[in-house]
Amino acid sequence: MSFAGKVALVTGSTRGIGRAIALQFAEAGASVVVTGRRAEDAARVAAEIKAQTGGEAVGMPLDVADEESVAWVLKEIDSRLGGVDILVNNAGITQDTLLLRMSDEAWDRVMDVNVKGAFRCAKGVLRGMMKKRWGRIINVSSIVGLVGNPGQTNYAASKAALVGFTKSLAREVAGRGITVNAIAPGYIESDMTEALTEAQRAALWEKIPLGRPGRPEEVAACALFLASEEAAYITGHTLVVDGGLAM
């Protein structure tokens, strides 16, 4: 799969799944825009990706919960790179607690970042994609949005909302050569899983048929496939990447 000549914007790409997605797009020839809330983090990761791949990577500060921040980044991409061809809505947060203890602020903040952030970015790139009659939008949901999880009603609701958002938007723009899909990762190696004790890790992996957590690179490979010409006939789909957990 080659993405030479394509511009990929990956939100929340300074670590974890987002970083792996940005790296793999750069390796495949795309010009990648790495974003995070801290400008220095975005610049550092972009430099690392550029050094590792020899490709084009630009770091930009982005808060998807801030309409002006989204507008500024998209304007910069338009002027410097010619617009976004591939958008990966990966930015997301958690504010976990039982519903009886959850504040309105915790609910609203998760929804604003995880759902409205994806709305803002997708809306911002659509006009350019429609003019080109080509585009890829990939929303990173979660297995939690499909099966639920105690203590994560706000997060689960936000990730379930992305599935509905994906299906509806896919129907709206299919006639313009734009596909919209989602990825629902299960347990993926992260700072959180590294902090677990051996006993906790063993108990968690026992629930997964493949017996291990996923790697960020395995989720990134799915994003590249969904953005590729090989996946041009796939839209409105949610690809579950969970080692069989939700079977």
Side-chain angles (χ1 to χ4, degrees):
M1 291 180 283
S2 173
F3 294 96
K6 302 296 185 185
V7 176
L9 166 60
V10 186
T11 69
S13 47
T14 57
R15 61 190 177 90
I17 290 172
R19 187 186 186 282
I21 292 172
L23 175 61
Q24 287 197 22
F25 270 117
E27 288 176 337
S31 296
V32 174
V33 181
V34 176
T35 66
R37 294 190 66 189
R38 293 165 54 91
E40 55 269 37
D41 290 340
R44 172 181 51 80
V45 173
E48 291 170 356
I49 290 175
K50 194 170 183 177
Q52 185 170 336
T53 66
E56 180 68 26
V58 180
M60 296 186 186
L62 173 61
D63 179 359
V64 298
D66 184 336
E67 186 177 359
E68 291 184 0
S69 178
V70 173
W72 177 84
V73 164
L74 295 179
K75 185 177 180 180
E76 284 291 300
I77 296 172
D78 282 342
S79 63
R80 295 168 61 176
L81 299 170
V84 176
D85 300 296
I86 301 161
L87 168 65
V88 182
N89 282 313
N90 174 72
I93 62 168
T94 59
Q95 291 197 0
D96 298 347
T97 189
L98 296 174
L99 185 66
L100 282 174
R101 300 173 184 168
M102 188 175 292
S103 66
D104 284 7
E105 291 77 15
W107 178 276
D108 291 344
R109 178 62 178 163
V110 168
M111 289 295 177
D112 199 26
V113 173
N114 297 6
V115 183
K116 200 169 183 180
F119 155 77
R120 290 186 182 103
C121 293
K123 185 178 179 181
V125 303
L126 269 181
R127 196 173 301 278
M129 289 181 176
M130 291 173 77
K131 286 181 179 178
K132 296 177 182 178
R133 301 190 70 85
W134 195 96
R136 299 287 188 264
I137 297 175
I138 300 165
N139 301 309
V140 179
S141 179
S142 169
I143 195 66
V144 172
L146 303 180
V147 302
N149 199 37
Q152 289 192 308
T153 52
N154 51 0
Y155 182 75
S158 73
K159 294 301 187 177
L162 284 180
V163 173
F165 175 77
T166 295
K167 292 175 183 287
S168 296
L169 183 56
R171 289 184 180 273
E172 289 185 15
V173 300
R176 294 300 186 99
I178 302 167
T179 67
V180 187
N181 291 289
I183 300 173
Y187 287 105
I188 306 298
E189 289 176 349
S190 65
D191 295 341
M192 181 191 73
T193 58
E194 287 298 319
L196 298 175
T197 66
E198 285 300 319
Q200 289 171 327
R201 289 166 66 87
L204 192 55
W205 308 159
E206 189 176 346
K207 299 177 182 178
I208 303 171
L210 286 182
R212 64 170 179 85
R215 298 186 299 273
E217 295 76 15
E218 292 172 314
V219 181
C222 295
L224 260 69
F225 170 67
L226 290 173
S228 70
E229 287 300 321
E230 287 82 352
Y233 201 57
I234 300 173
T235 196
H237 180 68
T238 299
L239 179 56
V240 176
V241 189
D242 69 344
L245 179 64
M247 277 196 296

